[in-house]
Amino acid sequence: MTRPLLELRHVSKAFGGMKVNDDVSFSVAEGDRVALIGPNGAGKTTLINVISGDLQPSEGCILVGGVDMTTHSIPRRVDAGLIRTFQITRLFTSLTVAENVALAVMQKKGLTKRVFSSAIGRTDIRREWQRVLGVLDIAHLADRQVSQLAYGQQRLLDLAIGLALEPKVLLLDEPAAGVPSDESSRIIEAIDRLPAHIAVLMIEHDMDLVFRFARRVLVLANGRLIFQGNPAEVTSHQEVRRAYLGSYADACHTH
Amino acid sequence: MTDRTLAEDAIPARIAIPVELRAVAIMLTLAAFGYVLFPDDLAFLTRLISIALLVLSLDLVTGYSGVATLGHSAIFGVSAYAVGNLCLAGQSDPLLLLVAGALAGALMGLASGALITRFKGLPQLVLSIAVGQLVAALANKLSGLTGGSDGLSGISPGRVFGIYAFDIYGRTGYVFSVAVLIVVFVVLLRIVRSPFGLLCRAIKDDSLRARMIGARVYPRLVLMYGVSGVVAGIGGSLAAINTGVVGLDSVSFERSAEALVMLVLGGAGSLWGALIGSIVFQVFEHYVSAANPFHWMTMVGALLIAVVLFAPKGLLPLAISLTGRVASALRSRA
Ligand SMILES: Nc1ncnc2c1ncn2[C@@H]1O[C@H](COP(=O)(O)OP(=O)(O)OP(=O)(O)O)[C@@H](O)[C@H]1O
Ligand SMILES: [Mg+2]
C-alpha cells in the first residue's frame, strides 16, 4: 500500500447553518484515478475548494503527502503538488495562450520573483510550455489572446496550466462539461495520457467518462460520502442509485 | 511546422533588445519635437515629464496590477518634500537628490502598498484616498518640514555632474529630465516584461487563479508598489529640482485624480499609453487654458467624455487599431 498523497479526515464545511460537506474522509494515493460523482449541489466543487485551500473547512483536516495542510495557504499547497482546475474556466484573459502556460512554468521554477530578467524567452521555458501545449494539441494557438479562444479551447488551456505545474495530485472539476464533443474527446484523451504516477481526482457527471477513467468512484450526496468503491459496484449500490444514478443504472441493468 | 515557428517567435520577439532601442529613438524624437514646439516654455515640458513619471508609476499598480488607487500623489509629494528638505539642508547634487527621492518613494510605495493591497475593490479605493488625504493633512500641519500652505521654496540644486548648472531657460533641466525619463522608461519596459511583470498582469486578471498556480499575490503586489514608488519618487524629485518649489498641490487629491485621468486617456496597462495620455492631456490643458482661461476645464471634460465614448480603452489602442486599418487598406489597394 503506497502512502496517500492526499488524505481528508472528517472534513465538514458549513455555510451559515447549511452543511455542504459533512464528515468526508477518503484518501488518494500515487497513480490513483478517482471519480467524484453526485447530484447537482451535492457539494463536490465546495469539497475541491476546501482541499485546494480556497475555503477553510469547518471541521476536519487535510493532509498532503502526510503533512497536515489544513491551515496552509493556497500557494503552499500548490508547492506541495496539489493542483486544481475550475468548473467554470479561470484564465489570465489579458495574456496569450503561451504566456498563460509560460507563467505557470516559470512559477513552478521559482522565476516569477525576478523583476529584471527575460526568462520568458529562455529556451528551456519555451520548450516546456510548447511541450505542454503540444500534449493538449493546442500548440497552434500559442499566440492567441485568451479572449479569442472557443470555450473548449479555454478548457484545454485551463488543464494545460495545471499540467505545467507538474502536479502530484490533480483535481479536475468537470473538465469536459459544456465542451463540444470533438474537443471533449481531446480533453478525455489528454486525461488518459496523464503521467501514470499522478493521482487524479475528477468530478464528472458523464457516467461513460467515469467508467472509462476511474478505478475508484466516490459518491457525494447532500455533502456526505455515501459510497466509495470500484466502478462496477457503484451501479448496483442501492443508495447510490436512489440518490443519483436513477435511470442510468436501470438502463445498465436491463441490458 | 509553421505553427511551431510562429510559437517560437511569439514571446522572445517582444523582449528582444530592439524594443528598448526603439523606445529610446521614439522618446528622443518626442523630446526634440517638444523642444522645437515649446522653445520658450521648457518649464512646461519639464513639469510634463515629472507628471508623466507619476502616471507611469500609477500605471504599474493600476494598469498592470489592477490595484485601484486615488492617492498616488502622496508618494510623489512626499519624495518632492524629502528632496526639497535635503537640498535646503545643503545636499544639492542633483543625482544624489534623485536617488534620495527614489528611496523616499520606494519607502512610501512599500508602506502604502502594504496597506492598500491587503484590500480589494471599493475598500481598497477608499483606503487609497484615505492614505492620500492623511499625507495631505500632514503636509499641511508639519509646516516645519513642508512650509505648510506657503510650500517649500528656495530649492536650488547644484550642477549636474558638477558641470551643467540649472539655467533660467530650463535647458539643463529639460535635458536632465528627458534623460531621466528615458532611463526610467527603458528600465520599466524591462520590468513589465519580466516574469514578475507577467505575474502582476495575471494577478490583475484573476488573483485567485494566480494563487492557484502557486503565486504569493500579496508580496508581489507590495513589491510592485515599491517599484511604482521609486518611479513616482523620481517624478516628485524632478518636480522639486526643476521648479525649486514644492507646494501642497504635489500631494493633493486633484493630482492623484488627474494622473488617473491621464492614464485612462492614454490607455492603462501599457507604458506607452501612460506616456501618451500624460502628453496629450497636458498639452491640451496647456493650449486650452491659455486660449480660454474660464472654460478650459469644461473642454477638458468634453475631451474625456469623447475618449470614454469613442475609445474606452484609451488613445493608444485606438491609434493602434486605426493605423492597422489604414495599413491594411493601403495593402489591399496595392
Ligand atoms: N460560498 C458559498 N456560500 C454559500 N453557499 C454555497 C457557497 N458555495 C456553494 N454553496 C452551496 O453549496 C451547495 C453545494 O455547491 P457545490 O457547488 O459544491 O455543488 P456541486 O456538487 O459542485 O454541484 P454541481 O454539480 O452543480 O457543480 C449548493 O447548494 C451551493 O448553493
Ligand atoms: Mg460543481
Side-chain angles (χ1 to χ4, degrees), chain B residues 83-94 96-97 156-158:
Chain B
V83 163
N85 277 301
L86 201 60
C87 190
L88 290 174
Q91 293 292 347
S92 67
D93 181 67
L96 186 118
L97 291 175
S156 59

Side-chain angles (χ1 to χ4, degrees), chain A residues 44-46 87 173-174 203:
Chain A
K44 305 180 295 295
T45 297
T46 304
Q87 182 170 1
D173 195 348
E174 301 192 29
I203 299 177

